[in-house]
Amino acid sequence: MKLLRLCKINFIQWRINPKYLAVFLYIGLYMWNGTQGYVEYCRDVGYPIRPWLFPLLPGDRRFFLLIYMAFVLLLSDAPFRNRQQQFVLQRVGKRSWIAGQLAYLFLTCLIFTAVVWLFSWLFQLPVLEWGMDWGPVITTVANAPPPYQEYGISGLRYGCMQGATPLEAMAWVFPMMVGVSFLLGEIMILCNLWLKKGVGNVVVTGFALLPYLLSSLVDTPYAGRMLLWISPLSWLDRSLMGSANQGLPSYGYAAGMTVGLCILLGIVIICTIHRCNLETDKE
C-alpha cells in the first residue's frame, strides 16, 4: 500500500505539470497523422483494416523513433525529484521512496505502451474490422517494396509479421515494449542520480537512436548485427530477431536480458540510494 500511495503522489503531477498533457497530445496527433493514410487507402480499395498495426510499428524505425522520443520526454526528470518529494523522503526514507519511484516508472511504461497501442487503431475506426488474421490491407502494404507515398503510409516490414499470428506478435511486442521502456527508465534514473542531472536523457536518447542508426548500416551488416545485441529497442522489431547462428539475437536472449537487467539495475538503485544526495528542494 505504501508503494501505491507513493505512485499516487507522482500521478498527481500529471494534473499539475502541463508536460504530461503535451506528451500524450503529441502521441495522439502523431498517431492520427500517421494512420490517416490507411483510412484513405482502405476507402479507395474497398477493404477494411485489421487492428494489428501496433506490433509492426517498431519495424518502421523512423516512425517509431519519433513516438519513442515522447517517452524520453515523459521521463526526462526521473527520478522525479520535486519540492513535494522532500516531505515524502522524510516520512518514508530513501529506500522506500526509490522503490515507489520504480513502481511509478513501471506503471508509466505500461500506460505509455497501452496508449500507443490504443492510438494505433482508434483513429481507424471508420474502416476498422476486427479479425484474428493480418487482413489484406496490412499484408499488401507490408509486402509492397516501396511505401504508399501518395497516401502518406509509412513502410511496414513483412518480417515483423512473418511466421506469426497477430496475437503472437502482440504477445511479444507489448510486454517487451513495457520491459525495455522500464529498463531504459532505470538507466535514466541511475545516470541522473550518480552523474549530472540530464545525462540520463542523453544516454536514453542514444539508445532510442540506435535502431535508426542500424538502418543506415545496411551496407555494413556485420557492424549492424553487432549493435543489435546492445540495442534493446531493436528487440521489439521481430524482423531483426533470429538465432545466434545467424548473428542475430534470439527471442530468449532478448527476453532474458531485458528481465535480468531490469532486476539487476533495480537492485543496484535500491541498494545504493542511501549514498545519493537527494537535494529535492533545489529541483
Side-chain angles (χ1 to χ4, degrees):
M1 293 299 296
K2 183 186 292 186
L3 291 182
L4 293 179
R5 288 196 294 269
L6 291 172
C7 291
K8 182 180 178 181
I9 292 173
N10 281 336
F11 279 121
I12 290 175
Q13 293 295 317
W14 289 29
R15 296 184 302 176
I16 302 173
N17 192 334
K19 177 188 76 171
Y20 298 98
L21 175 61
V23 167
F24 288 107
L25 182 62
Y26 164 78
I27 296 173
L29 291 175
Y30 186 72
M31 292 296 294
W32 173 82
N33 182 69
T35 57
Q36 283 306 292
Y38 292 99
V39 176
E40 297 177 13
Y41 176 71
C42 289
R43 286 172 175 167
D44 286 348
V45 300
Y47 286 102
I49 189 172
R50 299 285 193 267
W52 305 117
L53 278 181
F54 175 79
L56 307 181
L57 292 180
D60 189 346
R61 296 158 195 171
R62 184 176 182 180
F63 185 83
F64 190 69
L65 169 63
L66 295 178
I67 294 176
Y68 212 78
M69 293 310 296
F71 176 76
V72 178
L73 178 60
L74 194 64
L75 301 184
S76 59
D77 53 346
F80 317 107
R81 291 171 288 182
N82 53 52
R83 293 186 177 182
Q84 183 187 24
Q85 295 293 336
Q86 63 179 320
F87 304 107
V88 179
L89 272 166
Q90 292 172 1
R91 292 190 61 182
V92 303
K94 288 185 176 181
R95 287 191 174 177
S96 294
W97 177 79
I98 198 62
Q101 298 298 307
L102 291 176
Y104 165 75
L105 171 63
F106 178 80
L107 292 176
T108 301
C109 295
L110 183 61
I111 292 172
F112 172 77
T113 304
V115 166
V116 174
W117 167 77
L118 176 65
F119 286 154
S120 70
W121 58 265
L122 182 64
F123 300 118
Q124 303 174 52
L125 282 177
V127 293
L128 193 69
E129 181 181 79
W130 291 89
M132 303 308 294
D133 60 342
W134 292 104
V137 172
I138 293 179
T139 303
T140 300
V141 174
N143 277 292
Y148 290 81
Q149 296 289 355
E150 63 271 23
Y151 294 100
I153 295 177
S154 300
L156 301 179
R157 297 173 68 89
Y158 181 70
C160 294
M161 52 193 289
Q162 191 173 16
T165 65
L167 286 180
E168 290 172 342
M170 279 287 298
W172 172 258
V173 176
F174 192 96
M176 279 298 294
M177 186 168 171
V178 175
V180 168
S181 299
F182 184 68
L183 172 61
L184 295 182
E186 287 183 318
I187 293 174
M188 183 177 290
I189 288 176
L190 269 175
C191 291
N192 287 343
L193 282 175
W194 287 101
L195 303 173
K196 187 176 181 180
K197 184 179 179 182
V199 173
N201 299 337
V202 176
V203 173
V204 173
T205 299
F207 276 108
L209 289 170
L210 262 182
Y212 188 70
L213 174 63
L214 289 172
S215 64
S216 64
L217 296 176
V218 291
D219 296 328
T220 55
Y222 179 77
R225 291 192 177 191
M226 290 296 294
L227 286 175
L228 278 177
W229 294 82
I230 59 171
S231 176
L233 281 176
S234 297
W235 303 338
L236 306 182
D237 185 353
R238 297 185 68 257
S239 67
L240 298 178
M241 305 303 293
S243 65
N245 294 333
Q246 299 171 306
L248 300 173
S250 66
Y251 291 101
Y253 169 85
M257 286 294 291
T258 301
V259 174
L261 288 175
C262 284
I263 294 174
L264 176 62
L265 292 184
I267 293 173
V268 170
I269 291 171
I270 293 175
C271 292
T272 60
I273 188 64
H274 65 282
R275 299 182 182 178
C276 297
N277 182 22
L278 301 176
E279 298 179 348
T280 57
D281 57 330
K282 298 181 180 180
E283 296 288 335

